[in-house]
Amino acid sequence: MTIKDFIQFLTKTKKMSNSSVEAYSRDVLDFEKFCLQKSISKLENVDKTVVAEYIMKLKDDGKSSSTINRKIASIRAFYKYLASQSKINENPTTGIKPPKLQKKDLQYLTIWEVEALLETPDDSAKGKRDKAILEMLYATGMRVNELVEANLDDVNLRIGFFKCTGQAGKARIVPIGMIARKAVSEYIETSREQFISGNKKENALFVNYRGERMTRQGLWKILKSYGDKANLGAKITPHILRTSFAVHMVQNGADLKSLQELMGHEDITAIQVYMSMSKNRIKDVYDRTHPRA
C-alpha cells in the first residue's frame, strides 16, 4: 500500500517523531477518503483539479487557513515521495498555492503568570514530578513530544544540559537553568523511584503512576489542571510554555540565531514572529527613558 510505504519512509528514512508521522498519515488518509468519494481509487491518478477541489471543500467545511496549509504540506510531501519513487509522472500539488495565513496576536504567558503556574504543584510525589515537567518546559522551550520522548540518560544535571531529540531525529544540546535542574533532580531521586518501583527497566525521564512513559495526552491533562489552579484557564495549551520561553528570551535580549538553535528550528524565518516582541520592548524602553520621547 502506497501510504504505508510513505509512512515507513517518514519513520525510517526521515526519522520523524511519532507525532509528526501521525499528523502526516492522518492528513493523507483524509485526502484519500475524499478521493474515494470521487471514485478515485488510486492516489497516483489524482490531478491538480482534484487537489484544488479538496482545498475548496476544506474551506467550505470552515477549516482554518493554518489547518488547510498543514494538510496541503502533508499531501505535497506525499506526492514528492511518489515522484522520488517514479510512481507518478507529474506532481498534482505543483503550483498549488496555500491560503494566506491570518496574522494573529502572539499568545503567551507573562512572567508573572508563568511564576504562578510553576508555584502551583505541591510537595507530593505527583507534585514533584509535575513541578519538574513544568520547569523543564519553560527552562528549555522544548516541544511537548520532545519532553515525553526524553529518556533518563538525555539529561545531565551535573553540567546542566539536556540532549533534546527534535524533528527528523536531529539532536541538539539545550542548557538547563539551576531552578529546573533542582526540580528535576528532586523528582528523579524521589518521585520517579516510587513510580517505577515495579518497572525498573523503564528508561523514560517522565513516567506516569504505572511507571510507564508519559503520553502527550497525560501531559496535556497536567498542564490543563495546573492552568485551572493558577486561574489561567484557556490560556494554557501544550505549546504555551514554549512560546512564553521564546518571548521572554527575546524580551530580555536574546538574538534570533541563538533562539533558533535553542528551539530546534531549521529555518530562522520560523521564529521571526518573535521579533515584534523585541521591537515592542525597544519602543517601551525608548518611551520610558528618552527625555524627548
Side-chain angles (χ1 to χ4, degrees), residues 199-257:
N199 189 18
K200 294 290 186 180
K201 294 183 179 180
E202 178 57 66
N203 193 37
L205 176 59
F206 289 107
V207 296
N208 56 27
Y209 280 121
R210 298 186 298 276
E212 301 169 349
R213 184 180 297 276
M214 181 168 289
T215 63
R216 286 174 59 90
Q217 293 79 6
L219 194 141
W220 160 239
K221 290 179 180 178
I222 289 172
L223 286 176
K224 182 67 169 62
S225 172
Y226 288 113
D228 290 342
K229 289 181 180 179
N231 296 319
L232 299 177
K235 295 193 72 172
I236 288 293
T237 69
H239 190 65
I240 196 70
L241 285 181
R242 178 171 163 84
T243 304
S244 302
F245 161 86
V247 169
H248 297 165
M249 289 285 288
V250 170
Q251 286 179 334
N252 285 285
D255 63 276
L256 292 188
K257 182 61 178 176

Side-chain angles (χ1 to χ4, degrees), residues 50-255:
V50 176
V51 177
E53 288 177 356
Y54 181 60
I55 294 173
M56 288 303 299
K57 180 183 183 302
L58 293 175
K59 290 180 178 179
D60 291 341
D61 290 343
K63 300 297 183 183
S64 67
S65 296
S66 59
T67 297
I68 296 174
N69 281 358
R70 191 202 70 231
K71 288 182 177 293
I72 293 174
S74 297
I75 297 168
R76 181 174 285 124
F78 173 71
Y79 281 107
K80 184 178 180 180
Y81 165 74
L82 291 188
S84 71
Q85 300 298 308
S86 300
K87 293 187 177 182
I88 56 174
N89 295 321
E90 185 177 349
N91 188 332
T93 65
T94 301
I96 295 292
K97 293 183 179 180
K100 290 184 178 180
L101 291 174
Q102 294 179 340
K103 192 171 183 180
K104 296 182 179 179
D105 292 335
L106 202 60
Q107 298 296 312
Y108 64 96
L109 301 179
T110 66
I111 293 175
W112 297 274
E113 287 174 327
V114 170
E115 289 179 349
L117 179 69
L118 298 182
E119 292 301 318
T120 304
D122 57 29
D123 288 329
S124 65
K126 178 181 181 300
K128 289 179 180 178
R129 180 202 64 187
D130 298 347
K131 169 79 169 175
I133 288 173
L134 296 175
E135 290 284 359
M136 278 291 285
L137 285 173
Y138 181 61
T140 63
M142 72 175 73
R143 301 175 179 89
V144 170
N145 63 293
E146 292 171 343
L147 184 76
V148 299
E149 292 172 9
N151 292 321
L152 193 61
D153 52 6
D154 288 331
V155 62
N156 187 321
L157 296 176
R158 183 178 64 83
I159 301 177
F161 282 97
F162 179 79
K163 186 180 76 173
C164 188
T165 302
Q167 295 177 332
K170 294 183 179 179
R172 66 186 187 280
I173 302 299
V174 182
I176 311 172
M178 288 299 298
I179 296 177
R181 286 163 66 181
K182 180 179 178 182
V184 174
S185 177
E186 188 170 357
Y187 153 70
I188 291 175
E189 294 172 2
T190 58
S191 304
R192 188 178 184 279
E193 287 299 310
Q194 293 181 40
F195 293 147
I196 65 166
S197 58
N199 189 18
K200 294 290 186 180
K201 294 183 179 180
E202 178 57 66
N203 193 37
L205 176 59
F206 289 107
V207 296
N208 56 27
Y209 280 121
R210 298 186 298 276
E212 301 169 349
R213 184 180 297 276
M214 181 168 289
T215 63
R216 286 174 59 90
Q217 293 79 6
L219 194 141
W220 160 239
K221 290 179 180 178
I222 289 172
L223 286 176
K224 182 67 169 62
S225 172
Y226 288 113
D228 290 342
K229 289 181 180 179
N231 296 319
L232 299 177
K235 295 193 72 172
I236 288 293
T237 69
H239 190 65
I240 196 70
L241 285 181
R242 178 171 163 84
T243 304
S244 302
F245 161 86
V247 169
H248 297 165
M249 289 285 288
V250 170
Q251 286 179 334
N252 285 285
D255 63 276

Side-chain angles (χ1 to χ4, degrees), residues 7 10-12 14-25 143-149 165-170 216:
I7 294 171
L10 296 178
T11 304
K12 296 186 176 180
K14 300 294 286 185
K15 298 187 183 302
M16 287 188 174
S17 65
N18 292 336
S19 58
S20 294
V21 173
E22 288 173 4
Y24 275 89
S25 174
R143 301 175 179 89
V144 170
N145 63 293
E146 292 171 343
L147 184 76
V148 299
E149 292 172 9
T165 302
Q167 295 177 332
K170 294 183 179 179
R216 286 174 59 90

